[in-house]
Amino acid sequence: MAEFTMELNDEQKEVRDWLHGFAADVIRPAAAEWDEREETPWPVIQEAAKVGIYSLDFYAQQYFDPTGLGIPMAMEELFWGDAGIALSIVGTGLAAVGVLANGTEEQIGTWIPQMYGDATDVKVAAFCSSEPDAGSDVASMRTRAVYDEAKDEWVINGTKTWATNGGIANVHVVVASVDPELGSKGHASFIVPPNTPGCSQGQKFKKHGIRASHTAEVILDNVRVPGSCLLGGKAKLDERLARAREKARKGGERVKNAAMATFEASRPAVGAMAVGTARAAYEVALDYAKTREQFGRPIIDNQGVAFQLADMATSVDAARLMVWRASWMAINGKPFTAAEGSMSKLFASETAKKVTGQAIQILGGNGYTREYPVERMHRDAAIYTIFEGTSEIQRLVIARTISGLPIR
């Protein structure tokens, strides 16, 4: 087990500087254009693939970094560049985590490479969990998967929403109910292979922020997938369902469902995204305050501005500390006994919203225009308190964990 440290080793520093250079030289110059276009920035993703950032190998290297700091470090640097473009680059990772968290070694080896494609033929993947009537309330999921034993196929019907890369993905990872009576305990995850009949894109959403990232509905109309596409396999599912039914009969402990396993693994990473956006806004505001003069002196000479910047710097640093701690705990198998994963996501998300708003205030009228990037950063930051578990859900998880009570 790697000891927890805040000091990056030489290899990690090299990767960080490489990512920072890509974010500064490739992502940032393209940010405003793709935000306005509200389209997937395929040319930027292709550039990321060419240099090795958008690849299974790079993702795996960071994911399996024994210190746990590889993923949060990478996320912070890319999202420092621009949140919308960065999410287009890393969005496939959520689907990959879904397979890593629930799949067999064979499934991992088969499907994750198809999620990325290669530098000459870039692909993306989508993780599909949320539904029109089941966002935070995953127990209300209506998408059904029914096993056709004669053909060894699963038949999936339902509608997914808020899916990053939904409909344009080469591979979709879909969470569906296989036993509605068990609520969230009766869920399972499935691979929907490329060009599967019945899987199509529904509404594409026009969003407040992260507009370079494609978000859409996914329609599943009698989608048939082979039995081998059930992540983890049927024997494991049957065992888990039997255990859940027995515990339900006895009123026993809760059983973790497939979607929650994915979200728990990804929450610190989302926190790192928020840290990157917050840090970017803070740096813009700091540079502006040093050069912008009013009443014959730089505005940072005023305590009202300087103290705001001090609070911003402190909050960004604290958020990073919480994200790194949770990431280190996760990779080393330490349980989140105080909901440290949710804590990191909650604090970093709220920090991003606050700091980007403070940056606009420091820039004044200029901050409110699209001539400066902080208004875009503020729009982008709003998503962090919503997706992959709202701030309210994070507080609920934390409250239940620290109290041991079923708070509602």
Side-chain angles (χ1 to χ4, degrees):
M1 182 178 70
E3 292 187 3
F4 180 64
T5 175
M6 293 301 297
E7 181 65 30
L8 298 177
N9 60 40
D10 290 342
E11 182 179 350
Q12 289 170 325
K13 289 177 182 177
E14 185 177 341
V15 172
R16 178 198 62 191
D17 294 344
W18 171 52
L19 290 170
H20 186 79
F22 184 84
D25 298 338
V26 181
I27 293 178
R28 278 205 169 178
E33 174 189 350
W34 291 99
D35 177 71
E36 291 286 347
R37 291 175 64 167
E38 298 192 52
E39 297 174 358
T40 300
W42 291 108
V44 184
I45 299 174
Q46 183 125 27
E47 286 301 310
K50 286 179 181 178
V51 299
I53 292 173
Y54 186 76
S55 71
L56 172 60
D57 287 344
F58 174 75
Y59 190 85
Q61 287 173 10
Q62 305 315 309
Y63 187 85
F64 292 110
D65 181 338
T67 69
L69 303 185
I71 288 293
M73 176 192 66
M75 295 297 174
E76 179 177 338
E77 294 304 327
L78 293 172
F79 281 73
W80 172 90
D82 175 69
I85 291 178
L87 189 57
S88 290
I89 293 173
V90 308
T92 293
L94 184 58
V97 168
V99 177
L100 286 168
N102 301 296
T104 64
E105 289 188 9
E106 182 179 356
Q107 289 169 330
I108 291 169
T110 298
W111 295 110
I112 293 184
Q114 295 186 50
M115 293 179 175
Y116 288 91
D118 56 46
T120 60
D121 186 21
V122 169
K123 305 293 185 184
V124 295
F127 182 75
C128 307
S129 177
S130 293
E131 297 183 5
D133 296 319
S136 297
D137 183 13
V138 294
S140 298
M141 188 175 293
R142 294 182 180 178
T143 297
R144 288 291 313 278
V146 178
Y147 185 55
D148 183 343
E149 188 171 0
K151 296 184 177 181
D152 186 27
E153 292 179 339
W154 288 90
V155 184
I156 308 174
N157 283 282
T159 299
K160 294 297 182 178
T161 193
W162 309 121
T164 298
N165 297 329
I168 65 170
N170 194 47
V171 176
H172 291 79
V173 178
V174 175
V175 181
S177 173
V178 296
D179 189 336
E181 292 184 2
L182 291 175
S184 61
K185 305 178 188 68
H187 295 174
S189 292
F190 299 86
I191 293 287
V192 177
N195 304 314
T196 298
C199 179
S200 63
Q201 179 183 310
Q203 175 188 4
K204 178 185 175 182
F205 297 103
K206 297 181 74 67
K207 305 187 298 295
H208 175 66
I210 55 165
R211 301 198 301 193
S213 173
H214 176 96
T215 310
E217 290 181 330
V218 175
I219 310 300
L220 302 147
D221 183 12
N222 285 322
V223 169
R224 284 183 169 268
V225 300
S228 60
C229 286
L230 166 64
L231 290 180
K234 193 166 188 305
K236 185 177 178 180
L237 172 65
D238 289 342
E239 180 184 341
R240 178 167 62 81
L241 293 177
R243 192 166 62 249
R245 293 184 187 110
E246 181 65 17
K247 291 184 185 298
R249 187 178 66 81
K250 294 180 178 179
E253 62 189 85
R254 297 188 305 155
V255 178
K256 188 182 297 183
N257 68 72
M260 289 302 101
T262 300
F263 290 140
E264 284 183 13
S266 65
R267 275 171 181 161
V270 176
M273 299 173 189
V275 172
T277 300
R279 181 184 124 210
Y282 158 71
E283 289 177 0
V284 171
L286 178 62
D287 290 343
Y288 185 89
K290 288 179 177 178
T291 57
R292 172 68 168 172
E293 291 192 0
Q294 290 286 281
F295 305 106
R297 61 180 183 176
I299 62 173
I300 198 170
D301 283 355
N302 299 298
Q303 282 189 1
V305 173
F307 283 9
Q308 263 199 99
L309 288 163
D311 287 343
M312 292 160 74
T314 301
S315 295
V316 171
D317 206 35
R320 183 185 298 108
L321 283 164
M322 294 184 73
V323 165
W324 283 21
R325 178 185 67 170
S327 300
W328 172 80
M329 291 177 68
I331 200 68
N332 285 288
K334 289 186 170 292
F336 291 152
T337 55
E340 289 88 349
S342 289
M343 282 184 177
S344 70
K345 199 265 186 187
L346 170 65
F347 188 80
S349 299
E350 296 291 343
T351 292
K353 280 187 70 174
K354 182 178 180 181
V355 166
T356 54
Q358 288 173 306
I360 291 177
Q361 193 68 25
I362 289 171
L363 270 66
N366 286 330
Y368 198 64
T369 72
R370 296 188 183 180
E371 295 295 317
Y372 289 81
V374 291
E375 69 83 26
R376 184 179 69 249
M377 294 169 181
H378 188 52
R379 286 189 285 109
D380 291 343
I383 194 60
Y384 299 128
T385 63
I386 298 171
F387 72 174
E388 294 198 50
T390 64
S391 286
E392 291 73 23
I393 287 296
Q394 306 309 322
R395 291 184 175 100
L396 185 62
V397 171
I398 295 166
R400 286 175 174 174
T401 303
I402 62 176
S403 69
L405 299 174
I407 297 169
R408 295 184 181 275

